[in-house]
């Protein structure tokens, strides 16, 4: 089928890649040509790394790239889409505006998915003339490696839309978990709670970031510690989600001061080179950051 991904950032390009790898024709759309080009370049780099590691064959890489097209004009990008997934920043007004623009240009039967990790999909859908076609498709970072997609069913989502979304997730080789549209869904709510408590422990001097993360990896078999994951997701993203959950669910999601201080200082994690750890220009962790 035809899949359009609106937003060529880290998540958008990952969603585009896994869709193309599954055999779908994919359009990557962003607000200017430079962002679109950067998104496709990122996909090429990830696939090249997959070939180098023996995870992707050269023929699979070439076939996937042949299925991906970059387009700036939104009307052209969604003109024949069966599924449109928005992957723009976590801002309700922005996402509603994007949803509205997509609905006006896409085919009437296209399903509209949001990659939001915490915003209420019911509220996003309320901006649409036909909210029954809206659903949350919460991919995990990085999409080409993570095997889970949270399918978030809004109050208005139709059974056909839910079935379409779960079929798509399974078709691209991911596991779908279906959740009701509640604050933080299931995974973000639990993940943020763990990440905030880990940051609080650093702030209180309970243990270093490295020891906390090692404890969770080795003691609980987590593939990545909560502070490493916070750096990967982005401290600013985690702070925004925490504030949103605090508003909805109460003070147990109050973000610690260390998280606020780091965000104010521009230490946002891997994407800026400093978070709870330091990173080199290749994104490899070099050691703990000052805290």
């Amino acid at each position: 089928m035809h899949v359009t991904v609106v937003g060529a950032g880290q998540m958008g390009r990952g969603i585009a890649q896994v869709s193309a790898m599954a055999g779908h024709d994919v359009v990557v759309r962003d607000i200017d040509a430079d962002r679109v080009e950067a998104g496709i370049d990122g996909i090429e780099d990830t696939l090249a790394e997959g070939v180098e590691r023996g995870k992707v064959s050269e023929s699979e890489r070439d076939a996937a790239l042949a299925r991906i097209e970059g387009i700036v004009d939104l009307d052209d990008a969604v003109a024949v889409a069966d599924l449109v997934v928005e992957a723009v920043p976590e801002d309700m007004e922005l996402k509603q505006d994007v949803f509205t623009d997509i609905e006006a240009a896409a085919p009437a039967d296209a399903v509209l998915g949001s990659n939001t990790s915490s915003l209420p999909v019911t509220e996003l859908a309320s901006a649409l003339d036909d909210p029954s076609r809206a659903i949350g498709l919460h991919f995990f970072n990085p999409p080409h490696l993570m095997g889970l997609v949270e399918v978030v069913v809004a109050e208005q989502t139709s059974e056909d839309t839910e079935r379409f979304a779960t079929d798509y997730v399974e078709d691209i080789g991911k596991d779908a978990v279906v959740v009701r549209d509640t604050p933080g869904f299931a995974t973000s709510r639990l993940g943020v709670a763990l990440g905030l408590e880990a940051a609080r422990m650093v702030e209180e001097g309970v243990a270093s970031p490295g020891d906390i993360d090692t404890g969770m990896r080795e003691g609980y078999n987590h593939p990545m510690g909560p502070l490493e994951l916070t750096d990967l997701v982005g401290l600013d993203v985690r702070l925004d989600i925490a504030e949103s959950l605090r508003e909805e669910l109460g003070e147990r999601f109050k973000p610690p001061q260390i998280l606020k201080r780091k965000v104010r200082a521009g230490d946002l994690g891997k994407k800026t080179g400093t978070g709870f750890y330091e990173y080199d220009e290749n994104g490899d962790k070099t050691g703990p950051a000052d805290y």
Side-chain angles (χ1 to χ4, degrees):
M1 65 181 179
H2 293 273
V3 178
T4 297
V5 181
V6 178
Q10 186 167 340
M11 292 304 297
R13 68 185 64 166
I15 296 167
Q17 178 181 324
V18 297
S19 298
M21 290 287 290
H24 301 300
D25 293 322
V26 178
V27 169
V28 177
R29 188 266 173 182
D30 215 312
I31 58 175
D32 60 53
D34 288 343
R35 295 187 189 213
V36 171
E37 183 177 355
I40 293 178
D41 287 346
I43 295 170
E44 291 176 351
D45 290 344
T46 301
L47 287 171
E49 184 177 336
V51 171
E52 189 175 312
R53 294 185 176 185
K55 303 293 185 181
V56 179
S57 70
E58 291 186 2
S59 61
E60 287 173 330
R61 174 201 61 195
D62 294 344
L65 290 174
R67 297 187 190 104
I68 299 172
E69 180 182 8
I71 295 178
V72 173
D73 184 81
L74 181 64
D75 288 2
D76 291 342
V78 304
V80 296
D82 300 296
L83 170 66
V84 184
V85 182
E86 69 79 12
V88 303
E90 288 285 281
D91 177 272
M92 176 61 74
E93 185 176 352
L94 172 61
K95 284 183 179 289
Q96 284 188 325
D97 288 345
V98 169
F99 251 23
T100 301
D101 291 343
I102 291 169
E103 183 182 41
D109 58 350
V111 168
L112 309 186
S114 172
N115 184 51
T116 182
S117 59
S118 64
L119 296 176
V121 180
T122 298
E123 186 174 348
L124 287 173
S126 69
L128 300 175
D129 291 333
D130 180 10
S132 71
R133 63 203 290 205
I135 196 157
L137 289 170
H138 175 206
F139 284 78
F140 288 74
N141 190 18
H144 70 286
L145 295 180
M146 301 298 283
L148 182 70
V149 178
E150 205 170 22
V151 177
V152 185
V153 180
E155 294 295 327
Q156 311 97 318
T157 302
S158 70
E159 290 183 5
D160 285 345
T161 298
E162 179 183 343
R163 190 178 307 110
F164 178 99
T166 53
D167 286 348
Y168 160 73
V169 170
E170 291 167 1
D171 179 65
I172 62 174
K174 306 295 183 185
D175 291 321
V177 293
V178 179
V179 301
R180 188 167 58 88
D181 183 26
T182 56
F185 315 140
T187 56
S188 290
R189 186 164 165 177
L190 289 170
V192 168
L194 182 59
L196 293 179
E197 190 60 27
R200 225 172 262 120
M201 290 167 64
V202 173
E203 186 172 70
E204 294 169 1
V206 174
S208 69
D211 284 344
I212 291 169
D213 283 339
T214 298
M216 296 309 295
R217 287 197 311 271
E218 301 299 327
Y220 286 84
N221 205 28
H222 288 197
M224 182 179 293
L227 297 169
E228 295 171 309
L229 183 58
T230 297
D231 274 3
L232 178 62
V233 170
L235 276 69
D236 52 337
V237 174
R238 181 133 287 181
L239 178 60
D240 287 345
I241 294 172
E243 293 286 18
S244 175
L245 292 177
R246 180 188 186 187
E247 183 177 341
E248 293 282 346
L249 299 174
E251 289 303 297
R252 66 186 185 274
F253 286 98
K254 179 181 179 180
Q257 287 299 316
I258 188 173
L259 185 60
K260 292 183 176 181
R261 287 198 306 271
K262 283 185 169 292
V263 170
R264 290 189 192 114
D267 297 338
L268 308 182
K270 194 170 183 178
K271 60 188 173 185
T272 61
T274 303
F276 285 98
Y277 299 93
E278 299 280 357
Y279 301 86
D280 63 21
E281 60 184 12
N282 296 317
D284 295 324
K285 186 167 62 176
T286 59
D290 292 334
Y291 58 88

